[in-house]
Amino acid sequence: MSVRGIDRGVLPCYCEAMAANKVRPTLVHTILCDDVRQEAGGKFSLMGLFETISAGTFPALHPRFAIMNEWSGGRGEFLAKIRLLAPDKKTILSESEAKLSFFNETQRHRDISIRFNTAFPSPGTYWLEMVLDDEQAGLVPLPVQQVIPQTVH
């Protein structure tokens, strides 16, 4: 496939060039927070960063949280999945997916997944698994702990 350039010459389709020179991106970081907002001008604001979820009783229902992955160093199109795994690292509790497109290796891509009403059956270390084109790209622990409510005197 080709497209006609302004000078009437034939240029190869950029999609073909991307497919031929595909470079797998690197997962730079995974951040957990209560919410992500896109501000005027395109900047992202992350609110309430955390590493652990605490609950008084189980099963626990966490009303909302966001997962932000940043990828870089890639070229081409990829399918990224974020899986929430049970403590056994096998049972998938929830999954989201997004298509990532990189035009050059200096580009960065932020993949943001918002989770609503996530159930945690019991305390333990749950896992966030990042998968890129069906290969694991990262595994991040998410401790879920029981806290004893304290009475205020």
Side-chain angles (χ1 to χ4, degrees), residues 1-24:
M1 177 188 306
S2 49
V3 289
R4 294 273 173 194
I6 295 173
D7 65 356
R8 306 238 182 233
V10 176
L11 301 173
C13 175
Y14 194 70
C15 298
E16 289 176 9
M18 280 176 51
N21 298 312
K22 194 170 182 177
V23 176
R24 183 181 168 89

Side-chain angles (χ1 to χ4, degrees), residues 32-55:
L32 301 172
C33 58
D34 294 326
D35 198 11
V36 177
R37 295 186 190 133
Q38 189 166 14
E39 307 295 340
K43 292 182 181 180
F44 289 98
S45 293
L46 308 177
M47 276 65 66
L49 278 65
F50 65 87
E51 296 85 29
T52 302
I53 292 177
S54 299

Side-chain angles (χ1 to χ4, degrees), residues 32 51-53 58 83-91 93 120-129 139-146:
L32 301 172
E51 296 85 29
T52 302
I53 292 177
F58 286 88
R83 294 177 178 152
L84 175 63
L85 304 179
D88 66 8
K89 294 186 186 178
K90 294 177 185 165
T91 306
L93 301 176
F120 295 96
S122 60
T125 300
Y126 292 76
W127 298 89
L128 293 169
E129 179 184 39
L139 192 63
V140 174
L142 176 56
V144 177
Q145 63 187 12
Q146 186 164 14

Side-chain angles (χ1 to χ4, degrees), residues 33-148:
C33 58
D34 294 326
D35 198 11
V36 177
R37 295 186 190 133
Q38 189 166 14
E39 307 295 340
K43 292 182 181 180
F44 289 98
S45 293
L46 308 177
M47 276 65 66
L49 278 65
F50 65 87
E51 296 85 29
T52 302
I53 292 177
S54 299
T57 60
F58 286 88
L61 191 67
H62 198 71
R64 177 186 176 114
F65 69 99
I67 306 161
M68 187 190 79
N69 287 327
E70 184 169 276
W71 301 87
S72 73
R75 188 180 325 122
E77 292 188 350
F78 302 87
L79 181 64
K81 295 180 183 180
I82 303 173
R83 294 177 178 152
L84 175 63
L85 304 179
D88 66 8
K89 294 186 186 178
K90 294 177 185 165
T91 306
I92 300 172
L93 301 176
S94 67
E95 181 177 282
S96 63
E97 62 181 50
K99 188 175 179 182
L100 309 181
S101 294
F102 293 89
F103 299 105
N104 64 60
E105 295 175 52
T106 61
Q107 180 184 351
R108 291 181 177 266
H109 185 95
R110 290 179 190 95
D111 176 26
I112 299 167
S113 174
I114 308 289
R115 304 293 170 104
F116 295 95
N117 298 319
T118 302
F120 295 96
S122 60
T125 300
Y126 292 76
W127 298 89
L128 293 169
E129 179 184 39
M130 278 52 74
V131 177
L132 193 67
D133 286 348
D134 295 322
E135 289 183 32
Q136 188 182 75
L139 192 63
V140 174
L142 176 56
V144 177
Q145 63 187 12
Q146 186 164 14
V147 292
I148 311 285

